[in-house]
Amino acid sequence: MEESSNLVPNLNEMMEEYAQPEEEVRQEPTMEEVPIETPEVATSPGQQPQPRKGKEKMVEEVEEFISDEAYSIWRSHYNNKGFVAERKFTNPISPFIEMIEQRGWGTFCKHQKSGFAAIVKEFYSNMVGRKDNTIYVRGVWVPYGTEAINKAFGMEGQRHGSKFKKLLKNPNKEKIARKLTDGKVKWGHGEGEQNVINRGDLTEEAKVWFYFLASVLVPTKHVCTVREQEAILLYAILKGCKLNAGAIIENSIMRYHEGNKRGLIPHPNTITVLCLKAGVKAKWDEEEEIPKTSPLTLTGVSKGPRNQTKQGAIIETETA
């Protein structure tokens, strides 16, 4: 199988691509020559920025927040919060890498950087003023929907198949539990969760895919148990359902924004890539880069996938 040519961009490379050339050094103007500018903020996609009242600066600046409400959200929820970054996914077993690439997800095996902290926090804070699947970030309206995510990561044309759509409408939880655990256990109760499955009860095959979900599509450090939404995705993968990775990521971003925001901030790499591709100007010498996470290597579950691929469960594909 040919390796995907649309790989996740390395942020170092993106720095070179989007870095602005240095301006020529000129003599500083006198105070009479310095115009007093009022910072402006765009009110909606395609519109010119509108000045905010009551603020005058010697030099024009770009507003980080679209509204006072967004700034308040940043202060109360995001300012001092950490991240759960996407991880590069590696596995010495070729069948899993091949199956990931068959789904068009090979790009996620090659993450290099985690993102810029301030940009990601401003993105989430400004979601309160989102319009038409775009979010204001530093004077730019950044597309963040399914199509934008798929395009940014070279996954154009992905869509949920009919089998997965039916599964979402009416998931058979007992059937899902039997598939994921080889009939060993039923649903249990976890802290704050009504329906969970212990990770240790998963089949080796399901366990590998769970690590992939928790590292890439739905980043989380909550890996002791499998929650209901994750279990549905796992079941769909094992049954060969067609899945739209961009839609899964967008849903994950929205669930975090609309939830209680108690956990770490997810998808920093994805959001940074979306912002830079949309033209957001990073302050290259000042941006705090989120530490790169170590690759995920699944040597501990190496035997299960190789044996189970013979059954055909994880290589069947949906045709509709």
Side-chain angles (χ1 to χ4, degrees), residues 3 11-13 33 37 56 98 116 125 152 167 169 207 219 230 240 246 260 269 289 292 298 301 307 309 316:
E3 185 176 1
L11 287 184
N12 288 330
E13 297 176 359
E33 296 175 323
E37 301 285 354
E56 291 186 344
E98 292 171 3
F116 290 143
S125 301
L167 176 63
K169 290 180 179 179
K207 194 178 296 182
E230 297 161 345
N260 55 31
N269 180 279
E289 186 175 340
K292 183 174 65 172
L298 301 174
V301 289
N307 295 333
T309 52
E316 62 177 295

Side-chain angles (χ1 to χ4, degrees), residues 178-222:
R178 289 196 302 269
K179 177 66 176 177
L180 298 184
T181 66
D182 198 20
K184 295 177 182 178
V185 300
K186 298 181 179 180
W187 291 94
H189 299 278
E191 182 178 355
E193 299 285 345
Q194 291 298 316
N195 293 304
V196 298
I197 297 174
N198 289 328
R199 180 192 61 194
D201 292 323
L202 295 175
T203 65
E204 296 301 320
E205 177 185 359
K207 194 178 296 182
V208 172
W209 284 112
F210 174 57
Y211 280 124
F212 178 81
L213 288 178
S215 300
V216 177
L217 297 185
V218 190
T220 179
K221 289 190 175 181
H222 181 90

Side-chain angles (χ1 to χ4, degrees), residues 5 15 59 65 72 116 165 178 184 205 216 220 265 269 278 303 319:
S5 59
M15 289 181 185
V59 180
F65 304 103
S72 178
F116 290 143
K165 292 178 181 179
R178 289 196 302 269
K184 295 177 182 178
E205 177 185 359
V216 177
T220 179
I265 303 173
N269 180 279
K303 295 183 179 179
T319 58

